Amino acid sequence: MTGTVDTDLHPGVDVVCLGESMVTFLPSLPGRLADVPSFARTIGGAESNVACALAAAGHTVKWVSRVGADGFGDHLVDAIAAYGVDVSGVRRDPDRPTGIYFRTATDRAADAHEVAYYRAGSAASAMAPGTLSYDDLWAGRVLHVSGITAALSDDCLALMRELTTRAPGRPLLSFDVNHRPGLWRDGSGARVLLDLARGADLVFVGEDEAAEAWGLHGGDAIRAALPEPATLVVKRGSAGATVYERGAGGAGAGAPVGGGANGGVGSGLDGGAGASVDSGLDGGAGQSVGSGPDGGADTVTSVPALRVDVVAPVGAGDAFAAGFLSATLRGLPAAARLRHGHLMAAATLTVPGDLGTPPSRADADRLVDLDPAAWGTLRLGPGWTAATEQEVRTP
């Protein structure tokens, strides 16, 4: 199925997000954790971030997880529900606590960045095959997961292996690699994440994390290692993002959503993508078609990132995934999906926490429709999503 959402198999819910969310403590001042005098409480978790952003953008979303039967668990459930997310699939654990973490204000990639996790033995780490209902997990048109869940425990890894095994009736499986080396104490993370990604229909991965985890450099090399997903999105930081799509039907074709488990499976590590990439650095959406991993056409589209006055970088990848998924659900073409991802990321980059307020759909669509020159000169800063059409200045 190409360019449409399968509403017959999975009616009612657009996206189900599975994963741990934690109570997050943000520093009141820059500096080492040892020197920060106080922290502000908020929420954070890759999958719940995606859920909240999608709900704020007007989609029906369900979050599936486990939290402790404690005050922090109460706060998480209430805070996520306040975004309009269905939390009926969240289980409360009377024996295990809700995870929490503290972080500094610096970029996660910076040497000075510190994160102190208190999640070992958390309620979410007890997620396992058989503990969650497939009535919840397969309730949506898309099931979104990330590699973080696989790192939480052996039970969580077993659950992720089950979910990434292709099966009839499975919704489109979206997988964000989210390589976090500190969570993989035995060093197995890189190989595990590659195996899990191969079972997904849509994969998000950063060019930097692919280099760190797999020693792969550039989108073509990543596609060669991941031929199985029908759609591969490679995030290239300030350079933008590139999407590889098998059987996309050329420019303007929407992404397939629904019935993802029936997609074709590629040949493995030696099946190269073979497609050339037009970087689109002139402000446009570069697109090319090359030989795909199974001999079919792989359409490759690149869109440059926006210029953003960054307040804090944490959560931007989750926001990008939410923007891309939102546009995918609407059947928009590849370049528009990438632009919506960039806009949603910009909404989070311009706030101190993990979650920004997305622009209205009308404003987002207006910005996505800008010509290449106008897109290339657009600059967004704090508060831009609350600005009127006249205040968000475009050439």
Side-chain angles (χ1 to χ4, degrees):
M1 176 177 288
T2 301
T4 60
V5 172
D6 193 336
T7 56
D8 294 329
L9 280 176
H10 308 283
V13 178
D14 289 333
V15 182
V16 173
C17 297
L18 165 74
E20 181 175 35
S21 190
M22 294 177 288
V23 174
T24 307
F25 292 91
L26 302 180
S28 57
L29 296 171
R32 302 183 309 154
L33 286 179
D35 301 327
V36 174
S38 61
F39 296 81
R41 184 187 67 175
T42 182
I43 62 173
E47 303 85 0
S48 62
N49 288 347
V50 173
C52 291
L54 282 168
H59 294 282
T60 54
V61 189
K62 189 169 196 170
W63 175 51
V64 178
S65 189
R66 292 173 64 90
V67 300
D70 50 31
F72 285 145
D74 293 341
H75 175 65
L76 274 179
V77 171
D78 291 347
I80 293 171
Y83 279 87
V85 176
D86 178 352
V87 295
S88 63
V90 178
R91 302 291 177 257
R92 306 301 295 269
D93 191 323
D95 301 316
R96 298 175 180 86
T98 302
I100 65 173
Y101 77 99
F102 298 77
R103 67 172 173 84
T104 54
T106 51
D107 187 339
R108 180 182 282 119
D111 292 339
H113 185 70
E114 295 177 74
V115 179
Y117 288 110
Y118 298 91
R119 71 196 310 178
S122 70
S125 71
M127 293 189 294
T131 64
L132 300 172
S133 170
Y134 271 80
D135 289 341
D136 292 324
L137 293 171
W138 283 17
R141 304 173 196 176
V142 176
L143 173 60
H144 179 74
V145 297
S146 93
I148 292 174
T149 301
L152 298 181
S153 67
D154 290 342
D155 284 341
C156 284
L157 176 56
L159 174 64
M160 288 295 294
R161 290 196 187 281
E162 181 176 280
L163 294 176
T164 54
T165 299
R166 299 178 188 275
R170 186 185 77 176
L172 184 142
L173 185 68
S174 167
F175 179 74
D176 193 335
V177 172
N178 264 324
H179 180 231
R180 301 286 185 269
L183 297 179
W184 295 92
R185 300 190 185 282
D186 62 359
S188 65
R191 186 68 202 187
V192 168
L193 293 174
L194 189 62
D195 289 342
L196 295 176
R198 287 172 168 160
D201 304 300
L202 165 61
V203 172
F204 298 93
V205 64
E207 205 170 42
D208 55 348
E209 64 183 340
E212 180 182 26
W214 305 323
L216 300 173
H217 301 278
D220 283 0
I222 298 169
R223 184 52 160 168
L226 281 173
E228 295 88 349
T231 304
L232 170 68
V233 180
V234 179
K235 297 172 290 183
R236 298 181 292 121
S238 60
T242 298
V243 58
Y244 292 76
E245 290 189 289
R246 186 170 62 251
V257 180
N262 298 318
V265 177
S267 60
L269 268 174
D270 57 349
S276 61
V277 180
D278 179 349
S279 69
L281 292 178
D282 58 353
Q287 189 171 69
S288 59
V289 179
S291 175
D294 56 0
D298 223 10
T299 302
V300 185
T301 306
S302 292
V303 169
L306 292 161
R307 294 184 299 167
V308 179
D309 297 327
V310 176
V311 173
V314 179
D318 305 327
F320 180 94
F324 188 93
L325 286 172
S326 174
T328 297
L329 287 160
R330 297 170 61 196
L332 300 183
R337 282 176 271 146
L338 290 172
R339 283 192 173 191
H340 274 285
H342 287 318
L343 287 169
M344 195 78 86
T348 293
L349 287 167
T350 49
V351 298
D354 286 19
L355 290 165
T357 301
S360 69
R361 181 168 292 184
D363 281 343
D365 285 344
R366 178 177 61 84
L367 295 174
V368 164
D369 287 342
L370 291 175
D371 62 50
W375 177 266
T377 58
L378 191 62
R379 183 165 189 158
L380 302 174
W384 73 270
T385 61
T388 65
E389 181 172 334
Q390 290 73 31
E391 290 170 327
V392 178
R393 300 199 177 276
T394 57

